[in-house]
Amino acid sequence: MKQDSIFTVEKFRAAKKQTTGSDPIKTVELLADKYILTKNEEAGILRHFITANDNSAFGLINAVTRASQDIEDYNRATELERLGGELLSLPADNRILALPDTHKMINVTPQAAFA
């Protein structure tokens, strides 16, 4: 158990050092496209991402999990929380902007269900 905690702390440290680039809007758009987020979810993540003023992968992960708290539907909020964990678990070189096309998150409700 202690080893898992150390591994997680190291992943957080690595995410803090990884930049998402200088365009937070594009970063969140890519994330929303990749994980089929609604426009409201995308806007919430962007708002928290910009407000925190942390353009690292850690900042984006925090924005995703913080935005989940604004979602009224419990199941969907849980899916966004899971997305934050999923992003952290990806290898650093594939984490945010360079996610492989074959990577799909399991159990993310398609955007059409929220239209």
Side-chain angles (χ1 to χ4, degrees):
M1 177 81 142
K2 187 176 183 179
Q3 186 66 21
D4 290 340
S5 298
I6 293 170
F7 182 70
T8 301
V9 169
E10 290 305 318
K11 283 204 167 259
F12 277 119
R13 285 183 181 149
K16 188 68 177 163
K17 292 177 184 175
Q18 182 192 10
T19 183
T20 60
S22 61
D23 187 348
I25 295 170
K26 186 65 175 170
T27 298
V28 174
E29 283 177 353
L30 289 169
L31 182 78
D33 288 346
K34 179 60 71 177
Y35 291 100
I36 313 173
L37 302 176
T38 68
K39 289 297 180 186
N40 286 339
E41 292 164 350
E42 181 180 347
I45 292 168
L46 181 61
R47 181 177 61 253
H48 293 298
F49 190 41
I50 290 173
T51 301
N53 196 29
D54 180 357
N55 71 334
S56 69
F58 181 78
L60 183 59
I61 291 165
N62 281 337
V64 169
T65 57
R66 173 56 188 90
S68 74
Q69 297 172 29
D70 301 332
I71 306 295
E72 289 184 24
D73 179 82
Y74 175 80
N75 291 328
R76 186 60 179 171
T78 301
E79 290 170 355
L80 285 183
E81 286 281 344
R82 190 175 316 136
L83 174 58
E86 179 83 9
L87 292 173
L88 182 63
S89 71
L90 291 172
D93 60 343
N94 288 338
R95 187 168 288 135
I96 307 301
L97 297 178
L99 295 173
D101 290 340
T102 58
H103 181 78
K104 301 288 183 209
M105 186 173 159
I106 299 170
N107 296 327
V108 174
T109 306
Q111 186 173 359
F114 292 95

